Amino acid sequence: MSWEAGVVVAAEVVEGTQGDCDEGELSGDLMRAVGKQVKLLRERAALTQRELGDRLGYSEDLVSSLERGRRTPQREFLEAADELLGAGGLLRATIEDVERAKAKARVRHPAWFRDYARLEASAVEINFFSTVAPPGLFQTECLIRTILQGRQPLLAEETIEQRVALRLARQETLTSWPSPMVSAVIDESVLQRKLGGTKVWTGQLEHLLKLGRLRNIALQVLPLDCEENPGVDGPFVLLSPKGKQQVAYLEVQGVGQLITDAEEVRILAARYGSIRGQALTPRESLALMRKLLGEP
């Protein structure tokens, strides 16, 4: 999946999934738990929020925000509060986890992609039709880096590394439990194109073979000699978030759109069914990949 597209999301699809993109977005439960500890220790010491703030050199509002999990506590605050409140190392023990959560919060999906990423993470079914590169969830680290390094205009090295890490993290969706049911039809031209060179290409094919053997993944190839191709209009994704209606995602030349109109989604779902019918079976598809690798 590319990173350069804007995502248009209908409110009813992401209702209940959008959050405040502040510190701790990815670790709100941890911040609230730490805040509750601070509050209990403060009350045990018979101090008000203002009194605790005055003694530590912080404002009352900041202490209040920390206790409600709305702000990420700094190392200095946790160390000072641990000593002042006689926590016996309880607050100090959270410093490593808090700093790890802060690092993750700094490296996160671009704002335009977060809604789709949330839907994908909660999906019970995902269907891919790919004509340019393997689906992002199927890409090896080497291929992800190759694709991002080839972007024009060029991306900064720091941005590339962040996006590599984020795409790899998204792939945990494939092996999480309960696992979503995933199907993918990949055009054979994608398998023939040696993006990144022979070593990267070989590693990617071997990775696809591994994924194709998982119980929750059905991987098919649309052969080059296929005389009928209902997917000539381009790649797309069908996504079924848990408890929500199926949606579709389209992307081309840096423009992306999440489609929620029921009739448009129905048409794409029917088209996907036709594409799967023209593709090789999963067994035949894996055999083709082994042949491309020179295996018996």
Side-chain angles (χ1 to χ4, degrees), residues 81-138:
D82 190 276
E83 181 176 353
L84 176 63
L85 300 175
L90 179 64
L91 295 180
R92 286 178 180 272
T94 67
I95 291 176
E96 183 177 343
D97 289 333
V98 168
E99 293 190 338
R100 186 181 299 114
K102 286 166 60 179
K104 288 182 179 179
R106 286 193 295 270
V107 182
R108 60 192 182 192
H109 297 296
W112 53 261
F113 191 74
R114 290 174 198 158
D115 288 327
Y116 175 84
R118 290 189 185 98
L119 292 174
E120 181 184 75
S122 65
V124 295
E125 182 180 351
I126 311 175
N127 303 303
F128 298 101
F129 175 52
S130 299
T131 61
V132 179
L137 292 187
F138 289 9

Side-chain angles (χ1 to χ4, degrees), residues 61-247:
D61 287 342
L62 185 139
V63 173
S64 176
S65 293
L66 289 177
E67 290 187 355
R68 287 182 291 170
R70 294 187 175 181
R71 292 287 297 274
T72 304
Q74 302 298 314
R75 170 185 287 270
E76 295 77 13
F77 176 90
L78 292 171
E79 290 176 341
D82 190 276
E83 181 176 353
L84 176 63
L85 300 175
L90 179 64
L91 295 180
R92 286 178 180 272
T94 67
I95 291 176
E96 183 177 343
D97 289 333
V98 168
E99 293 190 338
R100 186 181 299 114
K102 286 166 60 179
K104 288 182 179 179
R106 286 193 295 270
V107 182
R108 60 192 182 192
H109 297 296
W112 53 261
F113 191 74
R114 290 174 198 158
D115 288 327
Y116 175 84
R118 290 189 185 98
L119 292 174
E120 181 184 75
S122 65
V124 295
E125 182 180 351
I126 311 175
N127 303 303
F128 298 101
F129 175 52
S130 299
T131 61
V132 179
L137 292 187
F138 289 9
Q139 294 171 8
T140 63
E141 181 176 348
C142 290
L143 182 61
I144 296 171
R145 187 170 282 107
T146 295
I147 291 172
L148 293 174
Q149 287 175 340
R151 287 276 187 267
Q152 292 187 11
L154 300 178
L155 298 174
E157 287 299 322
E158 180 181 4
T159 300
I160 290 174
E161 293 308 310
Q162 288 179 351
R163 294 184 180 183
V164 168
L166 285 167
R167 191 171 301 184
L168 290 173
R170 283 173 51 220
Q171 293 178 1
E172 295 177 5
T173 298
L174 297 177
T175 54
S176 61
W177 187 260
S179 302
M181 297 305 296
V182 180
S183 73
V185 179
I186 301 176
D187 193 87
E188 186 181 346
S189 62
V190 174
L191 305 182
Q192 298 277 7
R193 185 175 296 108
K194 296 186 178 182
L195 285 175
T198 300
K199 185 176 181 180
V200 174
W201 173 79
T202 299
Q204 181 61 57
L205 280 181
E206 291 174 342
H207 185 58
L208 289 175
L209 281 169
K210 180 180 178 181
L211 291 175
R213 297 187 186 103
L214 296 179
R215 290 189 303 155
N216 64 312
I217 296 179
L219 182 56
Q220 296 177 254
V221 176
L222 187 66
L224 289 175
D225 61 3
C226 180
E227 296 182 358
E228 296 181 30
N229 182 0
V232 290
D233 286 344
F236 58 90
V237 181
L238 291 168
L239 186 70
S240 297
K242 185 175 182 180
K244 302 182 185 298
Q245 67 180 22
Q246 187 178 54
V247 299

